[in-house]
Amino acid sequence: MSKPLKQIHLAAHFPGVNNTTVWSDPKAGSHIEFSSFVHFAQTAERAKFDFLFLAEGLRLREQGGKIYDLDIVGRPDTFTILAALAAVTEHLGLTGTINSTFNEPYEVARQFASLDHLSGGRAAWNVVTSWDAFTGENFRRGGFLPQEERYSRAKEFLATANELFDSWHGDDIVADRETGTFLRDAQAGAFVHQGRHFDIQGQFNVPRSPQGRPVIFQAGDSDEGREFAASSADAIFSRYATLREGQAFYADVKGRLARYGRGRDQLLILPAASFVLGDTDAEAEELAREVRRQQVSGATAIKHLEFVWNRDLSAYDPDGPLPDIAPDLGEHTIARGRAQVRMYRDPLATAREWRELASANKWSIRDLVIETGNRQNFVGSPATVAETINDFVQADASDGFILVPHITPSGLDPFADQVVPLLQERGVYRTEYAGTTLRDHLGLALPHSRLRSSGGTPIDEIRDERVAS
């Protein structure tokens, strides 16, 4: 008997100004004006996407003591954007990346519960931590937490937020006009939490929202991150772009679910993916090469090389050979606040490997960065891209994809107009939304509301939560 076709999940990431986007393209628009967010979100909803996703940076990044050229544009606050988008969309899920290192559980829980109410049950939370003192300087605590401390804080942060979400049971509001009774229990929303990181008590002032709790996303790739996803997350972002790597990650994470009493369909695996479409595969390949050269200008190539060399390389010609000097292994990091510096844990080995590649292929600095950097995941005609996406999902390399266009805000339009109809024709993608909440779109059950004892006291236990950045 043949295996039933899986339904594909699609989402859209509104990217910031960085070397993924091509802000200099004539078709590119603002990354701040609300009209850009509206266009992007409504395109995603027109294409029946599950959700829109916003990443978040809490400080503009620096390189050589200056704001990094491709990150000079900050973005409005995540909750403000998502709440505004709730008013101009009807079905699209609204996912925000909110940091657990520098925020407080009460405030974040209140914001997500409010967003879930305002959107009719479409809120989702990508839980992350911050790893560097550079970002911490923006906040009253300053500095940063060591890795084990930020994970400990994040674990308790999410558990505390869940206590707040569950402090209302869903049947608390009676609103009986005849008797004048509004609340079934005057203690609705009452909570007490005493822990290592948080010692709070009071009454949570947002009643239980349509989803009970926001959908929880996680993006960690460490063993600890995978274990958190298996135990507690509803979806996990993946960075694996090849079929074999995707299948290995998929099997590993899905294989951990049973030990937590969860089924394979209770956690979605959604890699980020970029794309370039053309009338033919050959035209798309040529366009993809042009986009890569737009994304990696000479200045960008030098900046990228500085991540490894940890030196000012501005005097070098990006169209010339790689530096013959060794990387600086000092503790000072020239690219402050950039996660990429953590990718190259052995700069000497990376520099040696890059020199060998450049020599063998006669690559300049810019050529090297283009060839070794992230490539578009899907390149081809609409038919080719639709087929490739479907092959990945049916082969259990993912449950779908979070698409990242290189043009904002109109870059999603060609995919919505040309690829989505082909997926619908294959019967692997919805033609209409079947439900109203994000959990409906993702095929996820509502979390259980808390039970009451005879005295009205919550009697469930908070599950051990683990968060990875």
mmCIF file with all atom_site columns, all heavy atoms in Angstrom, residues 101-119:
data_model
loop_
_atom_site.group_PDB
_atom_site.id
_atom_site.type_symbol
_atom_site.label_atom_id
_atom_site.label_alt_id
_atom_site.label_comp_id
_atom_site.label_asym_id
_atom_site.label_entity_id
_atom_site.label_seq_id
_atom_site.pdbx_PDB_ins_code
_atom_site.Cartn_x
_atom_site.Cartn_y
_atom_site.Cartn_z
_atom_site.occupancy
_atom_site.B_iso_or_equiv
_atom_site.pdbx_formal_charge
_atom_site.auth_seq_id
_atom_site.auth_comp_id
_atom_site.auth_asym_id
_atom_site.auth_atom_id
_atom_site.pdbx_PDB_model_num
ATOM 1   N N   . THR A 1 101 ? 16.407 36.189 27.613 1.00 0.00 ? 101 THR A N   1
ATOM 2   C CA  . THR A 1 101 ? 17.528 36.606 28.457 1.00 0.00 ? 101 THR A CA  1
ATOM 3   C C   . THR A 1 101 ? 17.291 37.974 29.080 1.00 0.00 ? 101 THR A C   1
ATOM 4   O O   . THR A 1 101 ? 17.638 38.207 30.235 1.00 0.00 ? 101 THR A O   1
ATOM 5   C CB  . THR A 1 101 ? 18.837 36.621 27.646 1.00 0.00 ? 101 THR A CB  1
ATOM 6   O OG1 . THR A 1 101 ? 19.056 35.316 27.085 1.00 0.00 ? 101 THR A OG1 1
ATOM 7   C CG2 . THR A 1 101 ? 20.032 37.004 28.500 1.00 0.00 ? 101 THR A CG2 1
ATOM 8   N N   . PHE A 1 102 ? 16.690 38.898 28.329 1.00 0.00 ? 102 PHE A N   1
ATOM 9   C CA  . PHE A 1 102 ? 16.581 40.278 28.788 1.00 0.00 ? 102 PHE A CA  1
ATOM 10  C C   . PHE A 1 102 ? 15.146 40.734 29.037 1.00 0.00 ? 102 PHE A C   1
ATOM 11  O O   . PHE A 1 102 ? 14.913 41.889 29.342 1.00 0.00 ? 102 PHE A O   1
ATOM 12  C CB  . PHE A 1 102 ? 17.248 41.214 27.779 1.00 0.00 ? 102 PHE A CB  1
ATOM 13  C CG  . PHE A 1 102 ? 18.702 40.891 27.566 1.00 0.00 ? 102 PHE A CG  1
ATOM 14  C CD1 . PHE A 1 102 ? 19.168 40.490 26.334 1.00 0.00 ? 102 PHE A CD1 1
ATOM 15  C CD2 . PHE A 1 102 ? 19.603 40.975 28.619 1.00 0.00 ? 102 PHE A CD2 1
ATOM 16  C CE1 . PHE A 1 102 ? 20.507 40.191 26.135 1.00 0.00 ? 102 PHE A CE1 1
ATOM 17  C CE2 . PHE A 1 102 ? 20.938 40.677 28.428 1.00 0.00 ? 102 PHE A CE2 1
ATOM 18  C CZ  . PHE A 1 102 ? 21.396 40.278 27.187 1.00 0.00 ? 102 PHE A CZ  1
ATOM 19  N N   . ASN A 1 103 ? 14.171 39.841 28.888 1.00 0.00 ? 103 ASN A N   1
ATOM 20  C CA  . ASN A 1 103 ? 12.780 40.174 29.160 1.00 0.00 ? 103 ASN A CA  1
ATOM 21  C C   . ASN A 1 103 ? 12.334 39.531 30.471 1.00 0.00 ? 103 ASN A C   1
ATOM 22  O O   . ASN A 1 103 ? 13.104 38.845 31.135 1.00 0.00 ? 103 ASN A O   1
ATOM 23  C CB  . ASN A 1 103 ? 11.888 39.715 28.004 1.00 0.00 ? 103 ASN A CB  1
ATOM 24  C CG  . ASN A 1 103 ? 12.071 40.575 26.764 1.00 0.00 ? 103 ASN A CG  1
ATOM 25  O OD1 . ASN A 1 103 ? 11.859 41.777 26.795 1.00 0.00 ? 103 ASN A OD1 1
ATOM 26  N ND2 . ASN A 1 103 ? 12.483 39.954 25.654 1.00 0.00 ? 103 ASN A ND2 1
ATOM 27  N N   . GLU A 1 104 ? 11.061 39.745 30.821 1.00 0.00 ? 104 GLU A N   1
ATOM 28  C CA  . GLU A 1 104 ? 10.480 39.172 32.038 1.00 0.00 ? 104 GLU A CA  1
ATOM 29  C C   . GLU A 1 104 ? 9.265  38.321 31.664 1.00 0.00 ? 104 GLU A C   1
ATOM 30  O O   . GLU A 1 104 ? 8.498  38.679 30.764 1.00 0.00 ? 104 GLU A O   1
ATOM 31  C CB  . GLU A 1 104 ? 10.059 40.279 33.004 1.00 0.00 ? 104 GLU A CB  1
ATOM 32  C CG  . GLU A 1 104 ? 11.202 41.144 33.506 1.00 0.00 ? 104 GLU A CG  1
ATOM 33  C CD  . GLU A 1 104 ? 12.193 40.370 34.364 1.00 0.00 ? 104 GLU A CD  1
ATOM 34  O OE1 . GLU A 1 104 ? 11.762 39.429 35.061 1.00 0.00 ? 104 GLU A OE1 1
ATOM 35  O OE2 . GLU A 1 104 ? 13.394 40.686 34.316 1.00 0.00 ? 104 GLU A OE2 1
ATOM 36  N N   . PRO A 1 105 ? 9.063  37.187 32.343 1.00 0.00 ? 105 PRO A N   1
ATOM 37  C CA  . PRO A 1 105 ? 7.965  36.284 31.977 1.00 0.00 ? 105 PRO A CA  1
ATOM 38  C C   . PRO A 1 105 ? 6.585  36.940 31.990 1.00 0.00 ? 105 PRO A C   1
ATOM 39  O O   . PRO A 1 105 ? 5.785  36.708 31.076 1.00 0.00 ? 105 PRO A O   1
ATOM 40  C CB  . PRO A 1 105 ? 8.050  35.171 33.036 1.00 0.00 ? 105 PRO A CB  1
ATOM 41  C CG  . PRO A 1 105 ? 9.467  35.182 33.475 1.00 0.00 ? 105 PRO A CG  1
ATOM 42  C CD  . PRO A 1 105 ? 9.890  36.627 33.430 1.00 0.00 ? 105 PRO A CD  1
ATOM 43  N N   . TYR A 1 106 ? 6.294  37.744 33.018 1.00 0.00 ? 106 TYR A N   1
ATOM 44  C CA  . TYR A 1 106 ? 4.959  38.345 33.098 1.00 0.00 ? 106 TYR A CA  1
ATOM 45  C C   . TYR A 1 106 ? 4.690  39.225 31.880 1.00 0.00 ? 106 TYR A C   1
ATOM 46  O O   . TYR A 1 106 ? 3.626  39.152 31.269 1.00 0.00 ? 106 TYR A O   1
ATOM 47  C CB  . TYR A 1 106 ? 4.813  39.157 34.379 1.00 0.00 ? 106 TYR A CB  1
ATOM 48  C CG  . TYR A 1 106 ? 3.405  39.677 34.589 1.00 0.00 ? 106 TYR A CG  1
ATOM 49  C CD1 . TYR A 1 106 ? 2.485  38.954 35.336 1.00 0.00 ? 106 TYR A CD1 1
ATOM 50  C CD2 . TYR A 1 106 ? 2.997  40.889 34.018 1.00 0.00 ? 106 TYR A CD2 1
ATOM 51  C CE1 . TYR A 1 106 ? 1.185  39.415 35.513 1.00 0.00 ? 106 TYR A CE1 1
ATOM 52  C CE2 . TYR A 1 106 ? 1.699  41.348 34.182 1.00 0.00 ? 106 TYR A CE2 1
ATOM 53  C CZ  . TYR A 1 106 ? 0.796  40.614 34.930 1.00 0.00 ? 106 TYR A CZ  1
ATOM 54  O OH  . TYR A 1 106 ? -0.482 41.073 35.088 1.00 0.00 ? 106 TYR A OH  1
ATOM 55  N N   . GLU A 1 107 ? 5.660  40.049 31.546 1.00 0.00 ? 107 GLU A N   1
ATOM 56  C CA  . GLU A 1 107 ? 5.480  40.969 30.426 1.00 0.00 ? 107 GLU A CA  1
ATOM 57  C C   . GLU A 1 107 ? 5.299  40.219 29.112 1.00 0.00 ? 107 GLU A C   1
ATOM 58  O O   . GLU A 1 107 ? 4.383  40.503 28.326 1.00 0.00 ? 107 GLU A O   1
ATOM 59  C CB  . GLU A 1 107 ? 6.681  41.901 30.335 1.00 0.00 ? 107 GLU A CB  1
ATOM 60  C CG  . GLU A 1 107 ? 6.591  42.895 29.176 1.00 0.00 ? 107 GLU A CG  1
ATOM 61  C CD  . GLU A 1 107 ? 7.820  43.773 29.084 1.00 0.00 ? 107 GLU A CD  1
ATOM 62  O OE1 . GLU A 1 107 ? 8.913  43.334 29.497 1.00 0.00 ? 107 GLU A OE1 1
ATOM 63  O OE2 . GLU A 1 107 ? 7.697  44.893 28.583 1.00 0.00 ? 107 GLU A OE2 1
ATOM 64  N N   . VAL A 1 108 ? 6.153  39.238 28.856 1.00 0.00 ? 108 VAL A N   1
ATOM 65  C CA  . VAL A 1 108 ? 6.078  38.493 27.593 1.00 0.00 ? 108 VAL A CA  1
ATOM 66  C C   . VAL A 1 108 ? 4.799  37.662 27.521 1.00 0.00 ? 108 VAL A C   1
ATOM 67  O O   . VAL A 1 108 ? 4.132  37.610 26.477 1.00 0.00 ? 108 VAL A O   1
ATOM 68  C CB  . VAL A 1 108 ? 7.326  37.614 27.420 1.00 0.00 ? 108 VAL A CB  1
ATOM 69  C CG1 . VAL A 1 108 ? 7.157  36.664 26.233 1.00 0.00 ? 108 VAL A CG1 1
ATOM 70  C CG2 . VAL A 1 108 ? 8.561  38.493 27.204 1.00 0.00 ? 108 VAL A CG2 1
ATOM 71  N N   . ALA A 1 109 ? 4.427  37.016 28.622 1.00 0.00 ? 109 ALA A N   1
ATOM 72  C CA  . ALA A 1 109 ? 3.193  36.230 28.625 1.00 0.00 ? 109 ALA A CA  1
ATOM 73  C C   . ALA A 1 109 ? 1.986  37.125 28.351 1.00 0.00 ? 109 ALA A C   1
ATOM 74  O O   . ALA A 1 109 ? 1.077  36.753 27.603 1.00 0.00 ? 109 ALA A O   1
ATOM 75  C CB  . ALA A 1 109 ? 3.032  35.510 29.962 1.00 0.00 ? 109 ALA A CB  1
ATOM 76  N N   . ARG A 1 110 ? 1.982  38.289 28.957 1.00 0.00 ? 110 ARG A N   1
ATOM 77  C CA  . ARG A 1 110 ? 0.883  39.236 28.749 1.00 0.00 ? 110 ARG A CA  1
ATOM 78  C C   . ARG A 1 110 ? 0.808  39.680 27.290 1.00 0.00 ? 110 ARG A C   1
ATOM 79  O O   . ARG A 1 110 ? -0.273 39.785 26.699 1.00 0.00 ? 110 ARG A O   1
ATOM 80  C CB  . ARG A 1 110 ? 1.073  40.439 29.667 1.00 0.00 ? 110 ARG A CB  1
ATOM 81  C CG  . ARG A 1 110 ? -0.071 41.433 29.678 1.00 0.00 ? 110 ARG A CG  1
ATOM 82  C CD  . ARG A 1 110 ? 0.128  42.423 30.830 1.00 0.00 ? 110 ARG A CD  1
ATOM 83  N NE  . ARG A 1 110 ? -0.954 43.383 30.887 1.00 0.00 ? 110 ARG A NE  1
ATOM 84  C CZ  . ARG A 1 110 ? -0.923 44.590 30.299 1.00 0.00 ? 110 ARG A CZ  1
ATOM 85  N NH1 . ARG A 1 110 ? 0.159  44.963 29.647 1.00 0.00 ? 110 ARG A NH1 1
ATOM 86  N NH2 . ARG A 1 110 ? -1.948 45.400 30.393 1.00 0.00 ? 110 ARG A NH2 1
ATOM 87  N N   . GLN A 1 111 ? 1.970  39.923 26.677 1.00 0.00 ? 111 GLN A N   1
ATOM 88  C CA  . GLN A 1 111 ? 2.007  40.362 25.284 1.00 0.00 ? 111 GLN A CA  1
ATOM 89  C C   . GLN A 1 111 ? 1.519  39.265 24.341 1.00 0.00 ? 111 GLN A C   1
ATOM 90  O O   . GLN A 1 111 ? 0.745  39.523 23.416 1.00 0.00 ? 111 GLN A O   1
ATOM 91  C CB  . GLN A 1 111 ? 3.417  40.813 24.928 1.00 0.00 ? 111 GLN A CB  1
ATOM 92  C CG  . GLN A 1 111 ? 3.820  42.124 25.601 1.00 0.00 ? 111 GLN A CG  1
ATOM 93  C CD  . GLN A 1 111 ? 5.305  42.417 25.485 1.00 0.00 ? 111 GLN A CD  1
ATOM 94  O OE1 . GLN A 1 111 ? 6.134  41.526 25.659 1.00 0.00 ? 111 GLN A OE1 1
ATOM 95  N NE2 . GLN A 1 111 ? 5.650  43.648 25.190 1.00 0.00 ? 111 GLN A NE2 1
ATOM 96  N N   . PHE A 1 112 ? 1.980  38.013 24.565 1.00 0.00 ? 112 PHE A N   1
ATOM 97  C CA  . PHE A 1 112 ? 1.549  36.937 23.676 1.00 0.00 ? 112 PHE A CA  1
ATOM 98  C C   . PHE A 1 112 ? 0.080  36.581 23.874 1.00 0.00 ? 112 PHE A C   1
ATOM 99  O O   . PHE A 1 112 ? -0.631 36.289 22.909 1.00 0.00 ? 112 PHE A O   1
ATOM 100 C CB  . PHE A 1 112 ? 2.431  35.700 23.860 1.00 0.00 ? 112 PHE A CB  1
ATOM 101 C CG  . PHE A 1 112 ? 3.632  35.698 22.959 1.00 0.00 ? 112 PHE A CG  1
ATOM 102 C CD1 . PHE A 1 112 ? 4.907  35.792 23.483 1.00 0.00 ? 112 PHE A CD1 1
ATOM 103 C CD2 . PHE A 1 112 ? 3.489  35.623 21.576 1.00 0.00 ? 112 PHE A CD2 1
ATOM 104 C CE1 . PHE A 1 112 ? 6.017  35.801 22.661 1.00 0.00 ? 112 PHE A CE1 1
ATOM 105 C CE2 . PHE A 1 112 ? 4.592  35.629 20.746 1.00 0.00 ? 112 PHE A CE2 1
ATOM 106 C CZ  . PHE A 1 112 ? 5.862  35.717 21.281 1.00 0.00 ? 112 PHE A CZ  1
ATOM 107 N N   . ALA A 1 113 ? -0.389 36.590 25.120 1.00 0.00 ? 113 ALA A N   1
ATOM 108 C CA  . ALA A 1 113 ? -1.808 36.320 25.352 1.00 0.00 ? 113 ALA A CA  1
ATOM 109 C C   . ALA A 1 113 ? -2.667 37.394 24.692 1.00 0.00 ? 113 ALA A C   1
ATOM 110 O O   . ALA A 1 113 ? -3.714 37.106 24.103 1.00 0.00 ? 113 ALA A O   1
ATOM 111 C CB  . ALA A 1 113 ? -2.094 36.248 26.853 1.00 0.00 ? 113 ALA A CB  1
ATOM 112 N N   . SER A 1 114 ? -2.212 38.648 24.766 1.00 0.00 ? 114 SER A N   1
ATOM 113 C CA  . SER A 1 114 ? -2.944 39.752 24.129 1.00 0.00 ? 114 SER A CA  1
ATOM 114 C C   . SER A 1 114 ? -2.954 39.583 22.612 1.00 0.00 ? 114 SER A C   1
ATOM 115 O O   . SER A 1 114 ? -3.990 39.763 21.955 1.00 0.00 ? 114 SER A O   1
ATOM 116 C CB  . SER A 1 114 ? -2.310 41.089 24.501 1.00 0.00 ? 114 SER A CB  1
ATOM 117 O OG  . SER A 1 114 ? -2.379 41.316 25.893 1.00 0.00 ? 114 SER A OG  1
ATOM 118 N N   . LEU A 1 115 ? -1.781 39.243 22.035 1.00 0.00 ? 115 LEU A N   1
ATOM 119 C CA  . LEU A 1 115 ? -1.705 39.042 20.590 1.00 0.00 ? 115 LEU A CA  1
ATOM 120 C C   . LEU A 1 115 ? -2.607 37.895 20.155 1.00 0.00 ? 115 LEU A C   1
ATOM 121 O O   . LEU A 1 115 ? -3.272 37.980 19.108 1.00 0.00 ? 115 LEU A O   1
ATOM 122 C CB  . LEU A 1 115 ? -0.256 38.771 20.175 1.00 0.00 ? 115 LEU A CB  1
ATOM 123 C CG  . LEU A 1 115 ? -0.023 38.488 18.691 1.00 0.00 ? 115 LEU A CG  1
ATOM 124 C CD1 . LEU A 1 115 ? -0.414 39.694 17.837 1.00 0.00 ? 115 LEU A CD1 1
ATOM 125 C CD2 . LEU A 1 115 ? 1.445  38.103 18.448 1.00 0.00 ? 115 LEU A CD2 1
ATOM 126 N N   . ASP A 1 116 ? -2.660 36.843 20.956 1.00 0.00 ? 116 ASP A N   1
ATOM 127 C CA  . ASP A 1 116 ? -3.513 35.712 20.596 1.00 0.00 ? 116 ASP A CA  1
ATOM 128 C C   . ASP A 1 116 ? -4.977 36.111 20.612 1.00 0.00 ? 116 ASP A C   1
ATOM 129 O O   . ASP A 1 116 ? -5.761 35.687 19.748 1.00 0.00 ? 116 ASP A O   1
ATOM 130 C CB  . ASP A 1 116 ? -3.259 34.542 21.557 1.00 0.00 ? 116 ASP A CB  1
ATOM 131 C CG  . ASP A 1 116 ? -3.583 33.205 20.930 1.00 0.00 ? 116 ASP A CG  1
ATOM 132 O OD1 . ASP A 1 116 ? -3.115 32.939 19.806 1.00 0.00 ? 116 ASP A OD1 1
ATOM 133 O OD2 . ASP A 1 116 ? -4.322 32.414 21.558 1.00 0.00 ? 116 ASP A OD2 1
ATOM 134 N N   . HIS A 1 117 ? -5.382 36.939 21.591 1.00 0.00 ? 117 HIS A N   1
ATOM 135 C CA  . HIS A 1 117 ? -6.757 37.440 21.607 1.00 0.00 ? 117 HIS A CA  1
ATOM 136 C C   . HIS A 1 117 ? -7.030 38.331 20.401 1.00 0.00 ? 117 HIS A C   1
ATOM 137 O O   . HIS A 1 117 ? -8.032 38.165 19.693 1.00 0.00 ? 117 HIS A O   1
ATOM 138 C CB  . HIS A 1 117 ? -7.010 38.236 22.890 1.00 0.00 ? 117 HIS A CB  1
ATOM 139 C CG  . HIS A 1 117 ? -7.397 37.403 24.066 1.00 0.00 ? 117 HIS A CG  1
ATOM 140 N ND1 . HIS A 1 117 ? -8.590 36.715 24.138 1.00 0.00 ? 117 HIS A ND1 1
ATOM 141 C CD2 . HIS A 1 117 ? -6.745 37.139 25.231 1.00 0.00 ? 117 HIS A CD2 1
ATOM 142 C CE1 . HIS A 1 117 ? -8.660 36.066 25.288 1.00 0.00 ? 117 HIS A CE1 1
ATOM 143 N NE2 . HIS A 1 117 ? -7.558 36.315 25.976 1.00 0.00 ? 117 HIS A NE2 1
ATOM 144 N N   . LEU A 1 118 ? -6.166 39.297 20.165 1.00 0.00 ? 118 LEU A N   1
ATOM 145 C CA  . LEU A 1 118 ? -6.405 40.273 19.092 1.00 0.00 ? 118 LEU A CA  1
ATOM 146 C C   . LEU A 1 118 ? -6.441 39.619 17.717 1.00 0.00 ? 118 LEU A C   1
ATOM 147 O O   . LEU A 1 118 ? -7.129 40.100 16.810 1.00 0.00 ? 118 LEU A O   1
ATOM 148 C CB  . LEU A 1 118 ? -5.322 41.361 19.123 1.00 0.00 ? 118 LEU A CB  1
ATOM 149 C CG  . LEU A 1 118 ? -5.324 42.281 20.349 1.00 0.00 ? 118 LEU A CG  1
ATOM 150 C CD1 . LEU A 1 118 ? -4.127 43.219 20.293 1.00 0.00 ? 118 LEU A CD1 1
ATOM 151 C CD2 . LEU A 1 118 ? -6.620 43.077 20.420 1.00 0.00 ? 118 LEU A CD2 1
ATOM 152 N N   . SER A 1 119 ? -5.697 38.533 17.552 1.00 0.00 ? 119 SER A N   1
ATOM 153 C CA  . SER A 1 119 ? -5.616 37.876 16.249 1.00 0.00 ? 119 SER A CA  1
ATOM 154 C C   . SER A 1 119 ? -6.596 36.719 16.121 1.00 0.00 ? 119 SER A C   1
ATOM 155 O O   . SER A 1 119 ? -6.657 36.078 15.068 1.00 0.00 ? 119 SER A O   1
ATOM 156 C CB  . SER A 1 119 ? -4.185 37.358 16.013 1.00 0.00 ? 119 SER A CB  1
ATOM 157 O OG  . SER A 1 119 ? -3.855 36.357 16.964 1.00 0.00 ? 119 SER A OG  1
#
